[in-house]
Every structure is written in C-alpha cells, then in structure tokens.
Amino acid sequence: MDHFELARLASEELREQSGVDSYDVVIVLGSGWREGASALGEPTSVVDTSTLTGFVAPTVAGHNGQILSLRLDGCSVALVSGRVHLYEGNSASQVCHSVRTLIAAGASKVVLTNACGGIDPTKGPGTVVVIKDHINLTGTSPMEGPSPPEGFGSRFVDLTDLYAKRLREVVHTTAPELSEGVYAGFRGPHYETPAEITMAAAMGASLVGMSTVLEAIAARHLEAEVLGLSLVSNFAAGVSAGPLNHLEVLEAGQHAAGSLGTLLARLIPVL
Ligand code: 8IG
C-alpha cells in the first residue's frame, strides 16, 4: 500500500474515533509547544496514534503519540503531539504520516512548530521566529520513491512558496513582534559542530533543527498552506561560549510554554 492510501485509511479511523468529520487546521507540536497547547482549551477527543494505521511510536521522552481534537472560534483544529523524526530511525514517509493523515482528514492549513538552535546572536533562547524558508540538509525527501498515484500532484513539487506568504503576512499583522528566519534542517540527533553552524550561517540559515522540513514538503505536495514557527531554545554550537545541553533545551521550552499557547490561540482563528 502506498503512503497516500495509508494516510487515507488512518484519516478514516481518526474521523471515526474522534467524531470529527473534517479538520481545518493541523498543528504539529514540537518540544516546548505541547505544554502550552492547553491554552487552546479542552480537547473534544484524544486519539492514541498507536490505534491508527501507519503511525510509528515516538521514542523521545515526553513525546507520546496522540491526536487531540478541539474547536477554536468555529475552527476545527487537530493537535499532533508526539512527532517522530528521522533520527529515531524512521523513513521520510513515516515522519510525514501524521501531516498526510490530517490533510486527508480535511486540513488545508498546516502549522509546524519546533524547538531549534539559534544562529543569530540577537535572537536568544525563548524567542519565537516565523520560518520564512528552509534548507533541507537531511539528504532525503518524502517524495522519494515511486510516483504518487493518480489524483495526486507530481513528485517534482514546486517549493517556491513553501512557507505560505499569505500565512506569514497574517502572522505579521496579528503578532508583529515576531521576526522571520531561514530554518536549516539537519538529520541529527547529534547537535552540529561549530564549523557546521558557520556553514549553515553562510548558506543563509538563522535557525537549525532536526524536524519540520520533510513535513513541510509533504504538506505542500498535498496543496496545504504551511506555516512554520520555531522556538529558539539554545544558541547553536559556537554562537555562545558554552556547550549545548539537552536539559537546558527542554527547560527553555517549559519556560516559554505559556506564551506559546497564547500565541497559537491568537493565530489560529485568523489563519
Ligand atoms: I531544541 O542546536 C534544538 N534542536 N540541529 N541544533 C539542531 N537541532 C536543535 C538544536 C540545535 N536545538
């Protein structure tokens, strides 16, 4: 069975279990963002991704696989909690399965959130940055493999407007305090060397992370509008004096959680 058929099956199962006929927006919650999502209100249903076709279990501590459904100002929202990554040993298609499933369940807007390293010394830990564009350094693509089946767009996806200009303008109007940056997606799970960060900076990146880029491509292929929001959790290697520490990264997320939830609550109704 191809990835698109797997996602269609999973979307039918999700509809049945959640009681939600169709979604408008899907938000993939990165580390740090999940804690804040409670600001969006009580979910009407919580579905374990282990009960849905094609989902693999997250292996990262603090990421359990769930899809929460809720309504916000008449908007039907799905929250994906427990993203999976390439560095867990997953394929690009497994990484993109939740996004493909929610788009199959009706979502036409995809909000990808993440925690990342910051290259720009003026945007320290705790800063939220809107992703303007990305550099995919993972060496893979969710479009790799056989041609998509009949009825789907070409695998040679145009990424000119990957992070939709329309959505970035909406964010700029609603939250003018947020700046934009270019996100470089590495495979990880090790953090970069200072030389790699110098390279990413020379390429034009201001953010570095291990997620988001593949999901964005898969969503664009399915003609969804993509918005990317990054929480800078640490300075990238060599940008500040000290070494990187995974615990510090997690703490930065917890610290910012409240304001991230409020930000999402402001943005979702206007997207
Ligand atoms: I949080 O400094 C977080 N995720 N690649 N580099 C990469 N991913 C990250 C980093 C970082 N911080």
Side-chain angles (χ1 to χ4, degrees):
M1 200 185 305
D2 67 64
H3 311 302
F4 304 97
E5 182 59 17
L6 274 181
R8 196 193 58 77
L9 261 178
S11 74
E12 290 303 324
E13 295 161 356
L14 173 65
R15 278 181 166 128
E16 205 158 291
Q17 288 194 50
S18 67
V20 176
D21 210 45
S22 185
Y23 292 91
D24 301 307
V25 183
V26 53
I27 306 175
V28 179
L29 298 170
S31 38
W33 293 82
R34 208 168 49 129
E35 296 79 1
S38 52
L40 298 176
E42 272 301 300
T44 55
S45 81
V46 178
V47 174
D48 257 307
T49 57
S50 61
T51 67
L52 302 174
T53 296
F55 279 80
V56 292
T59 65
V60 180
H63 285 234
N64 50 346
Q66 290 180 330
I67 297 173
L68 291 75
S69 302
L70 54 92
R71 290 195 73 85
L72 199 73
D73 273 1
C75 189
S76 177
V77 182
L79 303 178
V80 177
S81 171
R83 158 189 270 147
V84 298
H85 306 79
L86 282 178
Y87 65 69
E88 294 168 90
N90 298 305
S91 68
S93 280
Q94 284 168 330
V95 166
C96 296
H97 184 59
S98 59
V99 161
R100 284 179 169 150
T101 296
L102 269 301
I103 293 174
S108 59
K109 286 166 259 188
V110 175
V111 181
L112 301 172
T113 68
N114 63 56
C116 71
I119 297 180
D120 178 347
T122 69
K123 295 192 184 98
T127 312
V128 175
V129 180
V130 180
I131 301 178
K132 180 181 168 197
D133 204 346
H134 83 211
I135 301 172
N136 176 10
L137 298 174
T138 67
T140 189
S141 166
M143 305 318 300
E144 199 173 285
S147 196
E150 182 97 27
F152 289 90
S154 157
R155 60 186 147 185
F156 304 108
V157 189
D158 175 25
L159 301 181
T160 310
D161 189 34
L162 180 53
Y163 296 89
K165 190 152 202 307
R166 189 189 74 80
L167 294 184
R168 290 188 287 117
E169 283 171 358
V170 169
V171 172
H172 184 68
T173 307
T174 311
E177 71 277 13
L178 302 185
S179 65
E180 292 193 326
V182 173
Y183 179 98
F186 284 80
R187 284 183 88 100
H190 53 274
Y191 293 121
E192 295 71 30
T193 62
E196 286 164 345
I197 294 303
T198 303
M199 173 193 77
M203 287 173 158
S206 45
L207 310 165
V208 282
M210 306 173 191
S211 67
T212 305
V213 296
L214 303 180
E215 293 150 290
I217 295 167
R220 193 73 198 92
H221 170 249
L222 296 172
E223 295 172 21
E225 285 184 297
V226 179
L227 174 67
L229 298 172
S230 284
L231 168 69
V232 176
S233 298
N234 57 278
F235 281 119
V239 176
S240 69
L244 272 62
N245 174 325
H246 187 61
L247 264 183
E248 265 171 30
V249 165
L250 295 179
E251 279 169 17
Q254 275 153 19
H255 197 74
S259 57
L260 299 181
T262 317
L263 175 66
L264 290 176
R266 270 161 74 203
L267 289 178
I268 292 159
V270 293
L271 291 182

